Amino acid sequence: MVDNKQLIDKIVDLVGGIENINSVNNCMTRLRLKIANEKLVEHEKLKQTDGVMGVVDSDTLQVVVGPGKAKKLRDILVEDFGVSSDSTAQQNNWKDNKEDIKNKQKKGKLKQGLELIANIFIPMIPAIIAAGIFQGFGTLLSQLIESGVIAGTTWEVIQITFTLIGNSFLGYFAIFTGVNAAKQFGATEALGGMIGAVSIAEPLITLSQTVGLYDAEEPLNSILTTGKGGIIGVIFGVFILAKIEKFVRSKVPDVLDLIVTPTVTLLVTVSLMAFVIMPISGVLSDWLVAGLGYFIGSDNTVISILSGYVLSAVFLPMVLLGLHHGLIPIYAIQLEVLGGVSLFPVLAMAGAGQVGAAIAIYFIAKKEGNKRLTQVIAGALPAGILGIGEPLIYGVTLPLGKPFITAGLGAGFGGAYVMMMHVMANAWGPSGLIAIPLMTPDTMIHYVIGIFISYIGGYILTYLFLDRQSVQNV
């Protein structure tokens, strides 16, 4: 097993050397490299490198290396090799700028929008996961204390500490969203955070009462109240903030910029935020929650089963098309409105279907004498079970074709069960067994049952319909 320094040396060599890397960034499982000359990249050798789970060639070269490792490899490139981080790289080369613009034009508005959403939320995923785990265990301890199963000051201190950690992020999610949105829209980050803070600040209720927009009997039905419009409102508000800030700065003398620009920008943006953006986005958010509630939170068992099956079955094709990023705001809205996320546990079943399919392929490959494929599956299965699906997808099921489909169809059965049992998560992140602590205590067991149903479904459908000849030739 190669260490991180050896692995990064191999990756650098196979992508054409350090001079062929313009900048680097990472997400949870992938090292994202901006390559100067794509022709110098040895894709096949890179895919076969020990420690590399897969390679995705998009506008950036994405090397799948697994959770934790992606960040460590990125740090080595920045600190030891002097490669620029995407967040700090200067855009002074007109040829690079021209190429970036062309790439964005090729992607289309939908793809650009989805990637923008992803760039806002992906940096927050580690905090979302940690906060969700602490929130879940805090809730569990609270229930155990109330029922008398455990008692004592020590347990109460632990429960309060866990809840404190969970609330420190989830309670101020709008502020973190505002900061990251400002990064993407080119606004001052602190001002973006202030827009997020405005959306949850208590004086907003006083303002709403003063101008007659508050419903004292049903506060959630108020035209204006804290959290109205949720994450949608914050993102749109920061978008407007960026436009106003750039306009004001272009008109203000340099000597007055530091004082006038943020003051005027906030005054105008917050006024629009309170009286226009939040009420309108609140209506949109309410419609979205109501629509989702019909399919995702339906009391009709038949609707729950069908929607759960379809969502789980089609999720991974959405991932391949890059459409899954559009689901992140829905997670956030559910978390704000419902106090938990019901969509994430259902979609998490998709990875479990891939595990079941891979196990079926393993036995078939072993019977057919394909040792290379059995070794690939044996190496990728542990990651798949823990919720990192890329090694199985790009290394096993997708190259074979049909198993990618049967895995999704098999996963649908687990999704149907999870939806029917109304499984709820405190946050979202990697799927698989590692996500168990993210589930609410009363639904953890149903989440686990759903995973094993998906394993079995993916295994049976793949074993029945996989062409044995294709396993020999892969």
Side-chain angles (χ1 to χ4, degrees):
M1 185 70 178
V2 295
D3 61 28
N4 290 336
K5 184 63 171 64
Q6 292 172 324
L7 178 56
I8 203 65
D9 286 339
K10 290 184 179 181
I11 291 174
V12 168
D13 182 55
L14 293 173
V15 300
I18 200 68
E19 64 279 356
N20 200 36
I21 303 175
N22 285 339
S23 61
V24 62
N25 210 330
N26 70 281
C27 60
M28 285 181 58
T29 60
R30 304 180 186 190
L31 186 69
R32 297 171 180 262
L33 304 172
K34 187 171 182 181
I35 301 298
N37 186 353
E38 287 286 344
K39 295 179 180 179
L40 298 179
V41 179
E42 300 182 62
H43 289 85
E44 291 306 315
K45 288 185 179 180
L46 190 58
K47 292 177 182 178
Q48 296 170 10
T49 300
D50 185 20
V52 173
M53 299 174 177
V55 178
V56 182
D57 200 1
S58 181
D59 57 317
T60 57
L61 182 67
Q62 302 175 24
V63 185
V64 183
V65 292
K69 188 177 286 290
K71 177 67 166 62
K72 292 177 182 177
L73 295 181
R74 177 256 183 205
D75 289 345
I76 293 174
L77 278 177
V78 172
E79 296 169 8
D80 295 354
F81 288 85
V83 177
S84 296
S85 167
D86 270 349
S87 60
T88 58
Q90 298 297 315
Q91 303 296 321
N92 293 329
N93 189 316
W94 70 269
K95 291 183 178 180
D96 287 344
N97 290 339
K98 180 179 179 181
E99 194 63 32
D100 286 342
I101 293 172
K102 285 185 176 180
N103 287 334
K104 289 180 180 179
Q105 290 172 341
K106 290 176 183 177
K107 289 178 192 175
K109 296 295 183 182
L110 176 61
K111 192 70 178 292
Q112 289 180 50
L114 294 176
E115 288 192 1
L116 182 77
I117 291 171
N119 290 336
I120 291 173
F121 288 102
I122 284 176
M124 294 190 286
I125 287 179
I128 291 170
I129 294 171
I133 290 174
F134 281 110
Q135 191 86 329
F137 280 118
T139 301
L140 177 60
L141 289 175
S142 178
Q143 292 175 353
L144 293 176
I145 292 171
E146 289 177 5
S147 62
V149 176
I150 57 176
T153 304
T154 300
W155 284 115
E156 290 180 3
V157 169
I158 294 173
Q159 185 271 324
I160 293 170
T161 302
F162 282 7
T163 303
L164 173 64
I165 296 173
N167 287 342
S168 68
F169 178 81
L170 298 176
Y172 302 97
F173 189 41
I175 297 176
F176 292 101
T177 300
V179 171
N180 278 6
K183 290 180 183 178
Q184 298 303 313
F185 294 130
T188 300
E189 294 169 21
L191 299 184
M194 290 180 70
I195 295 301
V198 163
S199 73
I200 59 174
E202 285 298 321
L204 199 64
I205 296 178
T206 305
L207 176 63
S208 180
Q209 292 170 335
T210 303
V211 296
L213 298 178
Y214 192 76
D215 187 339
E217 295 182 0
E218 295 289 341
L220 293 178
N221 293 333
S222 302
I223 296 174
L224 177 64
T225 186
T226 53
K228 195 70 175 179
I231 296 303
I232 293 177
V234 173
I235 293 175
F236 191 65
V238 176
F239 173 77
I240 298 298
L241 171 87
K243 298 293 184 182
I244 294 173
E245 183 181 10
K246 290 174 184 176
F247 175 79
V248 173
R249 177 162 287 122
S250 68
K251 303 298 181 182
V252 173
D254 292 345
V255 69
L256 298 175
D257 177 67
L258 189 61
I259 298 174
V260 174
T261 299
T263 303
V264 174
T265 298
L266 282 173
L267 178 61
V268 176
T269 305
V270 171
S271 299
L272 290 173
M273 187 77 179
F275 298 114
V276 180
I277 297 172
M278 289 184 68
I280 292 176
S281 57
V283 172
L284 297 176
S285 179
D286 291 343
W287 285 352
L288 181 58
V289 170
L292 288 171
Y294 181 76
F295 293 103
I296 298 175
S298 176
D299 293 327
N300 187 309
T301 304
V302 175
I303 293 176
S304 291
I305 290 174
L306 289 176
S307 58
Y309 185 92
V310 171
L311 286 168
S312 297
V314 304
F315 179 61
L316 287 182
M318 290 178 64
V319 173
L320 292 182
L321 295 172
L323 301 177
H324 63 300
H325 295 312
L327 298 172
I328 298 177
I330 297 178
Y331 292 163
I333 289 169
Q334 280 201 312
L335 189 61
E336 285 186 323
V337 176
L338 305 178
V341 185
S342 63
L343 184 58
F344 167 67
V346 176
L347 300 181
M349 297 300 109
Q354 296 290 318
V355 170
I359 294 173
I361 298 168
Y362 177 87
F363 286 117
I364 295 171
K366 189 173 182 179
K367 186 176 181 180
E368 297 295 331
N370 190 331
K371 292 183 179 180
R372 189 197 69 82
L373 186 55
T374 58
Q375 290 175 350
V376 171
I377 295 173
L381 262 179
I385 292 172
L386 294 176
I388 310 302
E390 284 97 337
L392 291 177
I393 295 170
Y394 295 107
V396 182
T397 61
L398 195 58
L400 285 168
K402 190 178 291 184
F404 183 74
I405 298 173
T406 56
L409 296 175
F413 294 106
Y417 176 82
V418 166
M419 184 73 83
M420 182 177 67
M421 302 308 295
H422 302 291
V423 176
M424 187 75 76
N426 292 303
W428 66 92
S431 56
L433 295 178
I434 201 172
I436 294 174
L438 295 178
M439 304 301 137
T440 56
D442 57 325
T443 62
M444 282 183 181
I445 184 63
H446 295 299
Y447 176 78
V448 175
I449 292 172
I451 284 180
F452 280 94
I453 291 174
S454 298
Y455 288 167
I456 295 169
Y459 178 92
I460 292 175
L461 291 181
T462 303
Y463 197 87
L464 289 177
F465 294 103
L466 179 60
D467 180 11
R468 270 55 177 170
Q469 187 67 34
S470 64
V471 174
Q472 293 177 354
N473 299 331
V474 69

